[in-house]
Amino acid sequence: MDPKDYKYIGKNVQRKDAKDIVTGKAVFLDDFTLPKMIFGRSLKSPYPHAFIKEIDVEEARNLKGVHAVLTYKDVSQDYKMGWPPQKPILSQKMLYVGDTVALVAAETIEIANEAIDLIKVEYEILPFVLDGLEALKDGAPQLYEEFDHNIVTPGYPPFQKDGAFWHLEIGDLEQGFNECAFIAEDTVSFDKKPAPLAPEPPGAIARYDGDENYTVWATSQSGYILKIINSSVIPNSDLTVKTFNVGGSYGNKQSLTVPVMSAVLLSKVTDRPVRFFQTKVEQMTAYETRLGSQVKAKIGMDKDGIVRAVKADWTVDTGAFCNATQGQVGVGIGEAQLVMAKCKNWDLDTNIVVTNKQPAGIVRGYGGQELNSCLSLLIGRTMKAGNFDPVEVYKKNYVSDGDEYFWRDGRKWKAHSIDYTEAIEISAEKFKWTEKWKGWGTPTWTSEDGNIVRGVGCGIIGNADVGEDNTEAYVRVSPDLFGSKAHVIMQTNITESGMGQRSNLAKMVAEVMNVPYEQVQITDPDTMQNPTGFGLCGSRGTITYGRAVSNAAVDARRQLFELAEPYLEVPPEAMQLENYGVVTKSRPGKFVSWKQLIPPDLTITGYGKHTENFSTPNFFMVFLEVEVNKQTGQVKVVHMLGGTDAGQVIDPATLEMQCHGGIGSASLDTALFEEHIIDPATGRPLTYNMLEYKWRTFNEFPTFDTVMLSSQFDTFMFKALGVGEIAGAAAASATMQAISNAIGVEVAEYPATPNVIFKALGKM
Amino acid sequence: MDTKDVTINANDFEYSFSVGTKFGQLSASETLAETLRNRLGLTGSKEACNEGACGCCTVIINGNAVTSCMTLTVDCDEKNITTIEGLANPETGELDPLQQAFLDRYAFQCGYCTPGIIMASKALLDKNPTPTDTEIKEALSGNFCRCISQYHVIEAVSDIAKGVQK
């Protein structure tokens, strides 16, 4: 199709659920209820590492209205969560503050809470470890017997079908460093495990359906990911997963293992649907955070500003429990290569370690952001040593058509069709980079009294996961029972969690079928009733679902053309769809309606699929200017620009908002103030609620510009790729660069709170 | 607590509850958010943080934007409450201009916090029909939005403040 002919693609179109959202009609899980549904709650460990010596639940069980109380004594210890399967749903050993001691199901939430208070527990408190590098040491407290030195056994079958991939070793490192004129070596930490903090807390309703079959309604942005990750917990189990609108996820609400498995267990023993929601405080203290990262690295750059050698040890702190972390580490290794794509010599080794902190897992940025926030500071040092302009260096080093890299499946991929040089140049120009950039360690502006300084910085990141995971879709043409129109039904498994993609895909189908967007309908998200789809995590939706639904529409169109041959007496190549019928240009006036072609009450069903492909990495670049008050140590971002080339832009307004989204979900502000502060004496998070945990309020936003190019990349029919996930992923390192330039001293400690600034300035 | 009944007016409809501890009675500790969502089926406003920090449960009580999770229903006796469900014209279904502005400006992403943001904006505009952008931002500083729709929200509210018709 010629982009000039698009009716909906590239234009702002009102989301199908828009009116429901502004009227309060949109349904989220908490608004939904089932007949005879009861309420689940859990007693949570007050200690980061402890053994249950004794537990007495008699009084709780006897409370009127209580249907079940479960402890480790009541549940198979082989029902293990995570990958590799490691953590019993209910265990005798507590591994973090907020770990599940006991589960209760009761007629009301109040009775469940009362029952929780009646459980008596005697703990043996064990020594705990809160730091990833400490956890690796001899003699450190061990969380799991099978994880020697707390190192998680490598291997993640869903992502790595050829075997485990955790260590990138290619080229000749010594030779590589010999070619370098500038080398930086240090350990950088990005380990404060900030909270992605979706507004809607994690929750699930489970219903037992016999044998080991369960229906789960969840606040998951991907029902299918929830299904595959949690299917390994109870042997021979099958979960059918349904979702509603999801109140923010940012990658964080996918598998929901703890709430889902809690609800599942309780539903089986009570044979009642059980609703299990975490409170906001539980979400903040016991639900998944961003991964912790400590990176000891050496990076070498040649005299032309090309990175030639990278040696790095990446310690990944996954908290008390490892779910999809191995996939994230694989992607992190991949993303590092995209930023330093001309480098042929790598030794990037990783260790995933468990510590006595709340679990860490998937958040927008997916491992890549955590590693990028560390490595970029060292790339910056080599740039500084060579006195290079960072924009020029990133432009030279960033992945482009023909560059090769190893992705998270351990296989080698070659970049295809993409080139982001123009996007980098236009973004820099719009930000007025050359005007503002005064050199390393030099402020762009200083107040008259010298107390307030401004500096600029930039960061770059990309992800090839945009083509991940096999996906399929049906497109059904259903002529109206009365009248001459038809509805086109897109049968595919997509949960709406804010990106607007359910509607964007309807736009694609409307283009192919040449029907009004309003006539395209989408099935509700459900893993059983829809064909396979991994949801919208990781910006995969544009390519994977885009290809699947547009191919399915093309298939439906092909069938209509075949049926139309006897009527139009021309070959299918000469036909087109128009006004719910088929026409041909060669015989004007000839028209046959879909209703005439399709037997009464039946439908035409087209099938389309996408197969996994990591050859078109996306791109996002952040430019920003910060202002530092040297007297108070306070830093604020005054202006920010997000630049990308999304291939064909599908919906400018929603893409722009995805760019804005890079400020939230523990992205930009992990460089400024977002962190979980844990009391080292007790192991308890002090930032346990939304008053203690710092987040950016409406009146504190910087001005924001976007650059969104619309190149025609060779991805699928509509030449687009997704970019939303990485919008903020390079913002943290860009902020550190800007702060360092503003105050003239390098700052490399996340987040750069006033304390950190004072330390850097030698005032503390 | 002397009264045996509590009467609230929610979206121009009067509801009386008997207060007590028996099954089905409104307990003295029940929050307005619980009453609206669980008893009246007005699930538009959300219970997210239950500590008055995120603004997702914001409704308008006697003209003021209030977090309904921090308000006891027994304290709402004889009060007028407007929720997101009460903004559109009940007879014609026509949206409030503010709701329309949110549509026109694409002022939401996941939409979970949107009802609270719209109600906080509505209370501001009812009191001050021409707020400046700074006043809008201040009025919404108690509303949490993690998808980052703030830029578009400010445009939408500002359109109303400036009388922009799309």
Side-chain angles (χ1 to χ4, degrees), chain A residues 15 31 195 656 674 702, chain B residues 37 46 99 109 146 151-152:
Chain A
R15 249 168 67 177
D31 308 331
E656 186 198 17
E674 280 202 34
Chain B
R37 290 179 52 82
K46 305 300 176 201
Q99 289 172 308
Q109 290 177 67
R146 195 67 159 173
Y151 294 98
H152 284 220

Side-chain angles (χ1 to χ4, degrees), chain A residues 170-395:
Chain A
I170 50 170
D172 181 338
L173 211 59
E174 200 184 327
Q175 173 65 25
F177 279 115
N178 285 341
E179 291 170 12
C180 295
F182 313 102
I183 291 172
E185 190 172 3
D186 204 352
T187 300
V188 182
S189 298
F190 182 79
D191 61 349
K192 304 293 169 52
K193 305 188 106 175
L197 201 48
E200 173 196 44
I205 298 170
R207 184 185 67 199
Y208 177 61
D209 296 331
D211 294 328
E212 286 299 351
N213 300 325
Y214 302 87
T215 302
V216 175
W217 291 259
T219 61
S220 171
Q221 76 179 108
S222 170
Y224 191 69
I225 290 179
L226 188 156
K227 179 184 170 87
I228 57 174
I229 289 191
N230 293 321
S231 287
S232 54
V233 182
I234 298 178
N236 303 315
S237 64
D238 186 48
L239 307 180
T240 295
V241 187
K242 300 168 190 276
T243 62
F244 301 97
N245 275 47
V246 167
S249 171
Y250 325 116
N252 197 226
K253 280 153 60 188
Q254 294 185 18
S255 56
L256 294 157
T257 299
V258 172
V260 165
M261 295 318 297
S262 301
V264 158
L265 281 184
L266 290 169
S267 75
K268 186 175 182 185
V269 296
T270 61
D271 201 15
R272 296 272 292 265
V274 176
R275 175 193 187 279
F276 193 98
F277 256 92
Q278 293 187 331
T279 63
K280 185 58 70 179
V281 170
E282 288 166 347
Q283 178 187 0
M284 299 200 69
T285 54
Y287 193 67
E288 293 165 31
T289 62
R290 234 183 228 297
L291 298 172
S293 274
Q294 288 156 306
V295 184
K296 181 177 188 298
K298 182 178 171 185
I299 292 179
M301 184 177 281
D302 71 12
K303 60 180 176 29
D304 299 319
I306 308 284
V307 175
R308 293 290 178 200
V310 179
K311 163 101 180 83
D313 283 307
W314 180 18
T315 304
V316 180
D317 176 358
T318 188
F321 161 45
C322 175
N323 219 349
T325 310
Q326 302 208 25
Q328 293 173 265
V329 168
V331 172
I333 294 171
E335 289 190 26
Q337 295 166 79
L338 302 181
V339 169
M340 296 174 273
K342 317 300 168 185
C343 179
K344 307 280 184 219
N345 309 298
W346 289 81
D347 181 357
L348 173 44
D349 200 1
T350 64
N351 267 325
I352 298 175
V353 297
V354 283
T355 60
N356 295 111
K357 286 186 291 198
Q358 70 195 96
I362 302 171
V363 188
R364 187 176 182 165
Y366 202 77
Q369 174 165 343
E370 289 83 345
L371 183 59
N372 181 280
S373 299
C374 298
L375 289 181
S376 294
L377 301 192
L378 296 183
I379 303 172
R381 278 189 209 170
T382 58
M383 292 193 251
K384 186 180 178 186
N387 198 26
F388 295 114
D389 179 332
V391 174
E392 292 308 314
V393 169
Y394 283 141
K395 198 160 71 183

Side-chain angles (χ1 to χ4, degrees), chain A residues 12 14-15 18-19 21-24 26 28 30-31 195-197 199-201 246-248 250 280 497-498 653 656-658 660-661 663-666 674 689-691 695 697-699 701-702 704, chain B residues 34 37 43-44 46-49 51 53-54 56 84-85 93 95 99 102-103 106-112 114-115 117-118 137-138 140-154:
Chain A
N12 292 336
Q14 187 170 302
R15 249 168 67 177
K19 202 171 166 192
I21 283 175
V22 303
T23 55
F28 294 80
D30 195 25
D31 308 331
L197 201 48
E200 173 196 44
V246 167
Y250 325 116
K280 185 58 70 179
S497 58
E656 186 198 17
M657 295 177 88
Q658 286 285 295
H660 293 160
I663 293 179
S665 60
E674 280 202 34
N689 65 18
M690 290 187 63
L691 301 171
W695 47 277
T697 56
F698 250 89
N699 49 352
F701 278 75
F704 199 110
Chain B
E34 290 168 337
R37 290 179 52 82
T43 53
K46 305 300 176 201
E47 275 182 288
C49 75
E51 57 197 14
C54 76
C56 291
I84 188 75
E85 291 90 346
L95 297 181
Q99 289 172 308
F102 270 65
L103 290 182
Y106 310 89
F108 53 84
Q109 290 177 67
C110 78
Y112 187 85
T114 309
I117 289 174
I118 291 179
K137 291 174 192 176
E138 286 294 327
L140 293 176
S141 61
N143 289 82
F144 178 70
C145 164
R146 195 67 159 173
C147 298
I148 313 301
S149 302
Q150 282 84 348
Y151 294 98
H152 284 220
V153 165
I154 291 160

Side-chain angles (χ1 to χ4, degrees), chain B residues 40-100:
Chain B
L40 306 187
L42 297 170
T43 53
S45 54
K46 305 300 176 201
E47 275 182 288
C49 75
N50 271 312
E51 57 197 14
C54 76
C56 291
C57 65
T58 304
V59 298
I60 298 176
I61 304 179
N62 286 0
N64 298 314
V66 174
T67 49
S68 61
C69 77
M70 299 294 282
T71 306
L72 295 177
T73 307
V74 291
D75 287 338
C76 295
D77 196 26
E78 303 295 328
K79 289 184 179 168
N80 289 317
I81 296 155
T82 311
T83 72
I84 188 75
E85 291 90 346
L87 278 193
N89 184 312
E91 272 153 34
T92 64
E94 192 190 347
L95 297 181
D96 184 277
L98 182 60
Q99 289 172 308
Q100 188 59 47

Side-chain angles (χ1 to χ4, degrees), chain A residues 296-536:
Chain A
K296 181 177 188 298
K298 182 178 171 185
I299 292 179
M301 184 177 281
D302 71 12
K303 60 180 176 29
D304 299 319
I306 308 284
V307 175
R308 293 290 178 200
V310 179
K311 163 101 180 83
D313 283 307
W314 180 18
T315 304
V316 180
D317 176 358
T318 188
F321 161 45
C322 175
N323 219 349
T325 310
Q326 302 208 25
Q328 293 173 265
V329 168
V331 172
I333 294 171
E335 289 190 26
Q337 295 166 79
L338 302 181
V339 169
M340 296 174 273
K342 317 300 168 185
C343 179
K344 307 280 184 219
N345 309 298
W346 289 81
D347 181 357
L348 173 44
D349 200 1
T350 64
N351 267 325
I352 298 175
V353 297
V354 283
T355 60
N356 295 111
K357 286 186 291 198
Q358 70 195 96
I362 302 171
V363 188
R364 187 176 182 165
Y366 202 77
Q369 174 165 343
E370 289 83 345
L371 183 59
N372 181 280
S373 299
C374 298
L375 289 181
S376 294
L377 301 192
L378 296 183
I379 303 172
R381 278 189 209 170
T382 58
M383 292 193 251
K384 186 180 178 186
N387 198 26
F388 295 114
D389 179 332
V391 174
E392 292 308 314
V393 169
Y394 283 141
K395 198 160 71 183
K396 283 182 197 170
N397 285 275
Y398 195 70
V399 69
S400 199
D401 188 34
D403 288 332
E404 291 180 332
Y405 46 87
F406 286 82
W407 202 248
R408 49 114 155 130
D409 52 357
R411 297 178 187 169
K412 188 152 85 174
W413 291 84
K414 186 188 266 190
H416 166 69
S417 175
I418 48 105
D419 183 346
Y420 295 108
T421 313
E422 193 189 1
I424 295 173
E425 285 170 354
I426 293 176
S427 302
E429 196 182 313
K430 188 163 181 185
F431 183 78
K432 296 192 169 65
W433 175 261
T434 43
E435 204 175 295
K436 288 177 176 169
W437 170 255
K438 309 288 183 204
W440 290 93
T442 312
T444 51
W445 173 85
T446 306
S447 65
E448 263 181 44
D449 60 10
N451 288 330
I452 299 172
V453 284
R454 287 184 176 189
V456 290
C458 63
I460 195 168
I461 201 157
N463 190 346
D465 260 356
V466 291
E468 67 189 331
D469 297 317
N470 298 340
T471 303
E472 53 188 357
Y474 298 118
V475 165
R476 281 167 28 214
V477 180
S478 176
D480 289 348
L481 293 175
F482 303 98
S484 57
K485 294 182 181 177
H487 281 83
V488 178
I489 301 153
M490 228 165 64
Q491 199 170 338
T492 191
N493 196 25
I494 307 177
T495 300
E496 181 56 69
S497 58
M499 298 81 114
Q501 290 287 67
R502 279 171 64 84
S503 301
N504 287 337
L505 294 162
K507 292 163 72 170
M508 296 180 195
V509 170
E511 298 283 3
V512 176
M513 301 307 293
N514 197 16
V515 294
Y517 160 78
E518 293 73 21
Q519 294 296 115
V520 181
Q521 297 170 309
I522 319 166
T523 51
D524 288 338
D526 179 320
T527 57
M528 184 167 69
Q529 299 186 33
N530 294 307
T532 304
F534 279 67
L536 298 177

Side-chain angles (χ1 to χ4, degrees), chain A residues 75-80 85 88 232-235:
Chain A
V75 178
S76 167
Q77 293 302 291
D78 294 333
Y79 290 4
K80 287 182 177 174
S232 54
V233 182
I234 298 178

